[in-house]
Every structure is written in structure tokens, then in C-alpha cells.
Amino acid sequence: MAHVANATHNEDYLHHGKGLWSWMTTLDHKRIGLMYFLSILVFFFIGGIYALLIRTELIAPGSTIMGPDQYNKVMTYHGSIMVFMVIIPGIPAFLGNFLLPIMLGAKDVAFPRLNLASYYVFMLGAFISVTSLFTTGVDTGWTFYTPYSLQTKSGVILMVAGAFTMGMSSILTGLNFIVTVHRLRAPGMTMTRMPLMVWALYSTAILQVLATPVLGITLLLLIFERLFGVGIFDSTLGGDPVLFQHFFWFYSHPAVYIMILPAMGVISELIATFSRKTIFGYTAIAYSSLAIAVLSFFVWGHHLFVSGQSEWAGILFSFITMLVGVPTAIKMFNWVATMYRGSVKLDAPMLFAVGFMFLFLIGGLTGIMLATIALDVHLHDTYFVVAHFHYVMVGGTLMAFMGGIYYWFPKMFGKMVNEFPAKLSWFFIFLGFNVTFFPQFILGSLGMPRRYFDYLPEFTALNRISTVGSYLIATGFLIALGTIIHGLIAGRKATANPWGGKTLEWTIASPPIHDNFNKIPVITAGPYEYR
């Protein structure tokens, strides 16, 4: 703490206090963001290993490297770690924490102590979940569907309690961001002068605060049912297992947008900067984020088309689901319109932005197919859904995540990464992703069910292609990791604004000082004034 006391406010945040304790007790939003980054990287590495184990097992029919019970557990941990510990917190907790106050012209978030507490609550939840590995493991899949999750002897309670705890962290982060946006904007920064990244984080925060409690209550009810047999989801005790699915998807479909909306915010920043052009349709993009957030609360029923719900309910959910495509298409159109006649520069961050648009377009179009009841009945619980899910959530989010890292790396660490390996990592990730998941659309349309340990021999060729693709993805991420480490150790010094960005973070030093700004800025124009 003596180091902190002696530090000056003009020191960059990386050197404002030294030693592990100064990081563990920091209230600086930038340091907390980097702590999330490091934690998420570790979880991503673990979840990625599980993904490779799944694809290796599926390289041939029958048992390859594990048995069916082990497969179910590997699949569960892959899904749970990637969803609850990587993709949901990924961009909001890491990039959001680092950037939101700076983009608003603030010194920190509204509640710095709550921000640090959110991180430790997240880590506590992750610890509880991972602890289940050392008991009997969990084999339910990441959705914890009843009645199986009530009957299995595996350690469901620990995993569910961990997810509940991480949900608390998500709520606290969302609450902090909402108050920060409303109370700490710099003078002159009206809502319509906020960067689109902030609009995306703000819309996500609303979802985090309003939707996450529903999942929390549902998971608590599941725990009570397992411990005390209270009969909520167990039909033998008078409960209803389909009720669990309604509660689960009421949260989990908005959760899809908790994952993808911040990614869209990153893409808006990348497109504007690397097109050297004022973003086309700023207002439409900003309000489309809110529209997606609102509509996402009314589409959960499309996950239950085959559950026996009424035809009219199915038609209504089908219509609303397709309606989500409207604000999403608005974003896509405006990004393309921004690039049109812009001075597009294909640096590594921009390659990831273009990759996001391609993958998300495929994910979005196949989502419309699944929103059509007749098609969904045929494709339900097949590999088509796995491919769609990964194109939207994993492909989209991770492409934006990687693009964001390369884009803001100079600001975070004051150093540049080497462009060639950064572009090479994009090539392997983008190619590998399509080689992995596009064959799964075909497998699903041919009737291969998802979550199965084994498959018919006629599906072998496509499964082998898919497995090869997964190793290409892993190669891409290893190159990216090496690029980042090299940048940290031997990267050349970055200027304050190496990309020519127009938002506030590019007006301050790289890396920023502890208080972000020597003097709170006064905003007199919009965030993308390239004219």
C-alpha cells in the first residue's frame, strides 16, 4: 500500500502501485478489466481443451478416446465453462471494464468497490463450479434440463451453485455500468454522443440486471428440489419439467444477446476506425441495440416448439423471433454502408471485424430457418442447431473479442503487436471455424442428433472434416497467444493513437494514467467525426 501512497496521479495505471497485493486490492477499473482478461484466458484454455477432446472422440464412430459417460461430462464442462466463464463475461467484464469509463470521459465506474467485489464473486462462482470436477463430475449438459438433472448422481448442485454465484457477479457489473452511463458522462456527452460500444454495453447491462435474476431463482429452485424434494420440476412430485425449460430460456435467450451485443459494439468501433469514415446510421445502430435487448425477452418459446406448447404460442414466438432479425439487419446494413467508399484498411482488427460479419450473417440466416416452426421440428436437437449456435455465439463473439484485443492492445499496454502473426491467427481461426462447423449444418440436416457419443458410419467423413477444423482453430488461438505474449515482451512502443480512432480513449496516453484524464474533457462533437 505504501507504493500506492507514493504513486503520483500521472503514472500510468500499470505502474501505479507495485506488487501482487496492489493488483488484488485495486479499485482501478482498468486493472480489474485486465484481471478478468487473465481469468477468462485460463478458462478459455480449459474449455478449449474440452472442445478438442469432444472433436477427437467424434473423429470416428464408436469409442475413440473415452466412453459415453466420460463424453457426457466432457461435453457438460465444455459448454458450462465456455458459456458462464468465457463468453458471457468476456467482452463486458474485460473490455467493458477497461473502456466504458474512458469512453465516457470518467475517472472510473460509479461503484469501484462493487466492481472489485464483482470480480471476486465471479471467481468464487467459477471455483465452486470447477470444484464439481473433483467430486463425481456433472453430465447434464450446460442447460441442466430436468428431470435428468434431478435424478443423476453427478455433482449438479455444485455446478448450479457456481452458475448462480457467477450470475450475481453479472448483475453487479450490469448495475455498475448502467449507473456509470447515467451519472458519470463527461460534460457535453449526451446520450447521442456516446460511442456505439457504450450503447452496446448499456443495452447488455439492462439484460444482465433484468434477465439474470430469473436464471438465479430457477437454479435455486433446482437446488432446493434436489436437496428437499419440494416438487417444482419433478413430475413424480407434482412438478413440471417443462416449466424449467421456460424459466431457463427466459434468461438464456437474452443471454445470447448478453454475449453478442457487446461484440456488435466492438465491431462498430472497428468498422468506423478502419474505414476512416463517419459511421453510417449512428442513431439506428444505437437504438437497434436497445431494440434487440427488448425483443430478446419475448422469444424464449422458440426453444420449445416441440414441447407441446399451443400452436398459437408457437406462431407468436416464431414471428417475434424473426422480428429480432430487423434490428440485427440494421446493424449489418449500416456497417457495410460505412465501409462503402471508405478508406478501408485491412489491419488485423479489421480482418476480425469482417470475419465477424461473415460468420454472424450465416448464424443469423440459419436462425431465421430455426424460427420457422416446420423446419425447426425437423432440425430440432440435431447438429444443425449446434452449428447455428456456434456461428452466432462462439464465432461472432470470439471474432469480436480477438479483434477488440488487437485493437485496444496498444492502449492497454503501450505496445504494438506484430501484424503478420496477428493476421495469421485470424486466417487459422476463420478457416478452422468454417471447416469445423459448416459440415455440421449438413450433418444436422441429414439427421445426426446432437449431444450423442456415437453416430452412424455414413456421418464419418463430415465428422472427420469437422475435427480437422477444430485443430485449425486451436492453432490459430495458439498463434494469437504467442502474438500477445511477444507484444507484451518485445512489442514496439505505441503512440497515443496508432489507428487514428476518434473516441476518447485515443485522446489520452498509451497506457492511460491512473485517473484516465489529467482534466475531465468537454465533449463538443460526436464520436466518429472523420469529415
Side-chain angles (χ1 to χ4, degrees):
M1 293 301 289
H3 290 298
V4 176
N6 294 331
T8 71
H9 288 283
N10 288 325
E11 278 184 318
D12 70 69
Y13 76 99
L14 293 171
H15 298 94
H16 187 83
K18 294 181 173 59
L20 182 61
W21 185 248
S22 77
W23 280 82
M24 292 176 64
T25 57
T26 184
L27 300 182
D28 187 332
H29 66 98
K30 301 179 289 297
R31 284 190 165 200
I32 293 171
L34 292 189
M35 287 159 64
Y36 270 113
F37 179 41
L38 184 60
S39 306
I40 288 166
L41 276 186
V42 172
F43 295 136
F44 180 67
F45 178 74
I46 298 170
I49 289 176
Y50 279 120
L52 290 178
L53 289 174
I54 291 171
R55 285 311 323 165
T56 304
E57 167 54 37
L58 294 175
I59 198 168
S63 178
T64 307
I65 59 169
M66 66 183 91
D69 292 337
Q70 288 172 301
Y71 179 84
N72 288 341
K73 290 176 182 175
V74 168
M75 183 192 66
T76 299
Y77 281 100
H78 164 66
S80 300
I81 290 172
M82 285 301 197
V83 170
F84 296 114
M85 302 178 203
V86 177
I87 302 179
I88 286 181
I91 295 178
F94 162 42
L95 292 177
N97 253 312
F98 193 97
L99 294 166
L100 183 88
I102 303 177
M103 285 182 155
L104 290 172
K107 290 184 177 181
D108 209 316
V109 292
F111 308 115
R113 294 182 190 282
L114 189 66
N115 199 22
L116 182 62
S118 300
Y119 172 74
Y120 284 115
V121 171
F122 169 72
M123 291 304 294
L124 175 64
F127 174 78
I128 294 171
S129 292
V130 173
T131 303
S132 65
L133 270 171
F134 303 100
T135 57
T136 55
V138 184
D139 61 354
T140 60
W142 73 275
T143 54
F144 314 120
Y145 270 6
T146 56
Y148 184 70
S149 58
L150 296 170
Q151 298 164 352
T152 178
K153 302 297 182 186
S154 64
V156 172
I157 290 179
L158 280 174
M159 178 63 85
V160 168
F164 171 82
T165 308
M166 286 183 278
M168 288 291 296
S169 168
S170 184
I171 294 169
L172 297 178
T173 299
L175 181 66
N176 218 340
F177 283 6
I178 291 173
V179 178
T180 303
V181 168
H182 280 283
R183 303 297 300 174
L184 296 185
R185 297 195 308 274
M189 179 168 282
T190 61
M191 293 291 279
T192 53
R193 284 179 174 169
M194 293 194 310
L196 290 167
M197 176 75 174
V198 175
W199 270 104
L201 290 168
Y202 177 68
S203 304
T204 304
I206 292 172
L207 288 175
Q208 287 173 294
V209 171
L210 295 181
T212 311
V214 178
L215 176 70
I217 293 168
T218 306
L219 297 181
L220 271 184
L221 291 174
L222 178 60
I223 292 173
F224 280 136
E225 180 127 17
R226 276 192 67 109
L227 290 175
F228 307 114
V230 289
I232 299 168
F233 305 123
D234 188 345
S235 57
T236 62
L237 297 174
D240 182 356
V242 178
L243 180 63
F244 177 87
Q245 295 187 33
H246 279 285
F247 285 164
F248 182 85
W249 287 113
F250 183 83
Y251 161 78
S252 292
H253 202 83
V256 170
Y257 298 101
I258 290 175
M259 302 175 210
I260 205 69
L261 273 173
M264 291 172 164
V266 172
I267 299 306
S268 295
E269 301 301 325
L270 299 184
I271 296 288
T273 298
F274 290 95
S275 299
R276 297 289 189 275
K277 194 176 166 193
T278 303
I279 196 109
F280 183 88
Y282 167 90
T283 306
I285 296 178
Y287 289 145
S288 65
S289 294
L290 284 177
I292 290 172
V294 171
L295 287 172
S296 70
F297 281 104
F298 303 100
V299 298
W300 82 92
H302 72 231
H303 293 275
L304 291 93
F305 281 155
V306 298
S307 69
Q309 68 184 3
S310 76
E311 291 179 2
W312 287 108
I315 292 169
L316 182 62
F317 282 123
S318 174
F319 174 75
I320 300 174
T321 302
M322 291 186 187
L323 206 57
V324 176
V326 175
T328 307
I330 287 172
K331 287 181 182 294
M332 192 70 80
F333 174 81
N334 286 321
W335 291 331
V336 173
T338 303
M339 294 169 66
Y340 178 66
R341 291 190 174 180
S343 301
V344 177
K345 197 165 180 235
L346 290 176
D347 288 323
M350 186 61 170
L351 286 177
F352 279 97
V354 174
F356 169 95
M357 292 168 69
F358 181 83
L359 298 182
F360 190 75
L361 182 65
I362 294 176
L365 291 175
T366 52
I368 292 174
M369 293 169 68
L370 290 171
T372 309
I373 298 175
L375 274 175
D376 184 84
V377 169
H378 174 69
L379 298 170
H380 193 84
D381 263 344
T382 70
Y383 258 81
F384 192 96
V385 179
V386 176
H388 159 71
F389 178 87
H390 281 82
Y391 264 91
V392 173
M393 296 216 305
V394 183
T397 304
L398 288 184
M399 293 300 269
F401 188 71
M402 289 304 304
I405 290 173
Y406 285 141
Y407 180 55
W408 282 294
F409 185 91
K411 185 56 57 183
M412 291 175 182
F413 302 106
K415 295 182 177 181
M416 301 294 291
V417 297
N418 192 326
E419 266 290 303
F420 176 73
K423 290 180 177 177
L424 193 64
S425 68
W426 170 83
F427 173 78
F428 274 99
I429 293 170
F430 183 75
L431 175 68
F433 193 88
N434 286 289
V435 173
T436 302
F437 293 105
F438 200 84
Q440 295 181 9
F441 283 125
I442 304 170
L443 286 168
S445 62
L446 292 175
M448 179 174 165
R450 62 173 170 168
R451 304 192 183 106
Y452 278 33
F453 156 77
D454 199 3
Y455 54 82
L456 298 174
E458 51 262 43
F459 297 139
T460 304
L462 288 170
N463 269 292
R464 284 186 177 164
I465 294 171
S466 186
T467 299
V468 169
S470 69
Y471 280 90
L472 291 175
I473 298 175
T475 303
F477 279 114
L478 286 176
I479 294 171
L481 180 63
T483 305
I484 291 170
I485 292 173
H486 178 269
L488 287 171
I489 297 172
R492 64 183 167 85
K493 185 174 173 54
T495 61
N497 190 4
W499 308 117
K502 293 291 186 181
T503 41
L504 277 180
E505 74 272 24
W506 302 113
T507 65
I508 59 176
S510 301
I513 60 172
H514 173 66
D515 289 335
N516 297 339
F517 302 92
N518 288 315
K519 183 179 177 183
I520 295 298
V522 176
I523 312 302
T524 57
Y528 308 107
E529 298 292 338
Y530 281 95
R531 285 187 289 267

